[in-house]
Amino acid sequence: MPKSLCYVVGYPGSGKTTAVAGAMPAGPRAAIAKPFAHIRYDRGVVQLGASRDIYSGTDALALNVQPQVVQWLNQTTDVPVVIGEGDRLGNAKFFAAAQTAGWGLTVIHVDVPELVSRHRAWQRGSRFDDRWFAGRVTKVNRLTRAFADHCVTLDGTQSRRDVTRKLREILAFERL
């Protein structure tokens, strides 16, 4: 069975978490805590991280979780699709390790102008330092360039419903 890692990246406030939450398969799911927090859906689909009111997805994971997740990816045989989003595991080293472990990679970039991203983050109550934000922008831009052959861009300025629908089309769970 081919294994697929789909990872959603974007600036803070771009709509990554919202899109992923809306795009996940309907039906039964189980929150699993070990060896790291993840959610298992029907058909074996796994979402990295946890669902919370604020800072969901991989932001709910420990800062040092990457080696555990890579080890899990290397040992997992019954999961066809792994979904991740956010900053915690959204990095070149993690993507390369997943590919080395035999996972097909799709990087999904929810693209919004920097000013829109800042405004949305501010609206949800995020208060961050300008240098931190600039670092996240640089990181996302570098990732999307480095993995351009594996990258699909979604227009994050469209409605939440449209972005979620397009993400669902990319993930295509109904084909599992």
Side-chain angles (χ1 to χ4, degrees):
M1 166 188 338
K3 302 182 296 184
S4 179
L5 171 66
C6 299
Y7 206 94
V8 181
V9 301
Y11 303 160
S14 64
K16 302 176 299 291
T17 303
T18 301
V20 169
M24 297 311 294
R29 66 182 194 169
I32 301 169
K34 301 290 181 184
F36 54 87
H38 59 285
I39 302 165
R40 189 170 186 127
Y41 294 84
D42 251 0
R43 301 183 198 128
V45 173
V46 169
Q47 180 183 359
L48 301 173
S51 179
R52 305 188 304 194
D53 287 339
I54 190 163
Y55 304 119
S56 281
T58 63
D59 288 345
L61 299 175
L63 290 172
N64 64 349
V65 74
Q66 187 164 312
Q68 293 171 302
V69 178
V70 169
Q71 181 179 7
W72 180 82
L73 288 173
N74 276 305
Q75 297 170 348
T76 297
T77 58
D78 66 335
V79 174
V81 178
V82 172
I83 310 297
E85 62 86 9
D87 194 56
R88 185 77 70 238
L89 297 170
N91 61 70
K93 187 175 178 183
F94 179 69
F95 294 169
Q99 289 178 301
T100 299
W103 290 82
L105 175 67
T106 303
V107 177
I108 301 158
H109 178 208
V110 180
D111 189 26
V112 297
E114 197 175 321
L115 190 57
V116 169
S117 172
R118 285 178 178 268
H119 182 71
R120 287 179 180 174
W122 177 81
Q123 281 182 312
R124 73 171 185 220
S126 295
R127 302 295 182 257
F128 43 73
D129 153 299
D130 283 340
R131 288 189 335 204
W132 177 87
F133 186 87
R136 303 290 61 83
V137 167
T138 299
K139 180 180 180 181
V140 168
N141 292 344
R142 285 182 179 164
L143 270 177
T144 57
R145 279 194 308 269
F147 292 90
D149 292 346
H150 302 277
C151 193
V152 176
T153 300
L154 298 179
D155 180 356
T157 63
Q158 294 182 337
S159 72
R160 289 179 181 175
R161 173 190 242 159
D162 286 343
V163 174
T164 298
R165 180 182 50 77
K166 288 180 180 176
L167 178 57
R168 193 177 295 122
E169 288 171 6
I170 292 167
L171 300 175
F173 296 124
E174 63 277 356
R175 290 187 293 206
L176 294 177

